[in-house]
Amino acid sequence: MRSGIVLMLGVWLAVSCQEIKDCTLETSTDYSVVRFYRADTTVKTVKEVAFMRIYEPDVSNYNISTMEDNIDDDTIVVTGLFLNPADTRVTYLFETDSIDYELTMEYKPHLRIYYDECDPVYSYKLDTAYSPNFDSVAMVNNVLDKVVTTNLEIYL
């Protein structure tokens, strides 16, 4: 009887220590989270901005926002900017009625295979981000991940 209990306990321990292989646990994203802040204050203050259009000119389906969306209030404080998986650099244009802003992000894709049963995925890390038009761009987290709330802070 005692050996039966020990055997059952051993089987239970062996099964419970198996690694859970859940392919849906991947948290990598293919977009960078960008937040806008006021540049003319000493305290970090969120800034609502309104752009007529945010787009990537080299890729036709990378329109993030347009005034044609029929949204009454087209102001934003945060947006996601997708990366081009076929390249290592993407440049977005932010159109206003007076000036067009430009933001370039350079990044590296990393192929990840977590389990044999799961499809391989790409994770991305930002190398640099810069703009000739915004007051400043700060990279606060270079890992593109669902857990991260902000990758870039743009001051204008």
Side-chain angles (χ1 to χ4, degrees):
M1 179 74 168
R2 181 181 253 180
S3 64
I5 292 174
V6 171
L7 179 63
M8 286 180 58
L9 182 61
V11 169
W12 177 78
L13 285 173
V15 170
S16 65
C17 291
Q18 294 296 317
E19 187 175 354
I20 298 173
K21 297 178 181 175
D22 187 355
C23 297
T24 63
L25 294 178
E26 171 57 37
T27 62
S28 294
T29 63
D30 59 350
Y31 58 89
S32 175
V33 178
V34 177
R35 293 189 186 273
F36 298 93
Y37 294 94
R38 295 180 57 93
D40 57 353
T41 63
T42 57
V43 178
K44 187 188 280 188
T45 306
V46 172
K47 182 171 184 172
E48 287 188 357
V49 292
F51 298 107
M52 294 171 56
R53 188 165 86 149
I54 302 171
Y55 68 102
E56 207 285 322
D58 294 333
V59 182
S60 62
N61 63 344
Y62 275 38
N63 282 312
I64 302 301
S65 170
T66 65
M67 289 296 253
E68 299 160 1
D69 292 338
N70 295 325
I71 298 172
D72 293 335
D73 183 16
D74 222 16
T75 60
I76 58 172
V77 295
V78 63
T79 189
L81 300 177
F82 287 96
L83 305 181
N84 184 351
D87 205 348
T88 59
R89 174 187 296 188
V90 65
T91 300
Y92 276 94
L93 297 180
F94 299 75
E95 288 184 357
T96 68
D97 56 358
S98 60
I99 187 172
D100 292 344
Y101 296 92
E102 184 178 296
L103 174 68
T104 300
M105 296 180 289
E106 295 178 358
Y107 50 92
K108 289 183 183 166
H110 300 277
L111 182 63
R112 303 276 190 233
I113 301 174
Y114 292 100
Y115 303 111
D116 293 339
E117 296 83 12
C118 301
D119 292 332
V121 295
Y122 278 98
S123 63
Y124 297 92
K125 287 188 178 179
L126 292 175
D127 284 337
T128 59
Y130 52 90
S131 172
N133 314 103
F134 289 119
D135 187 64
S136 63
V137 177
M139 186 181 322
V140 292
N141 195 326
N142 69 335
V143 177
L144 304 185
D145 195 299
K146 292 176 187 171
V147 178
V148 175
T149 59
T150 304
N151 297 107
L152 299 176
E153 294 176 350
I154 295 180
Y155 294 85
L156 68 153

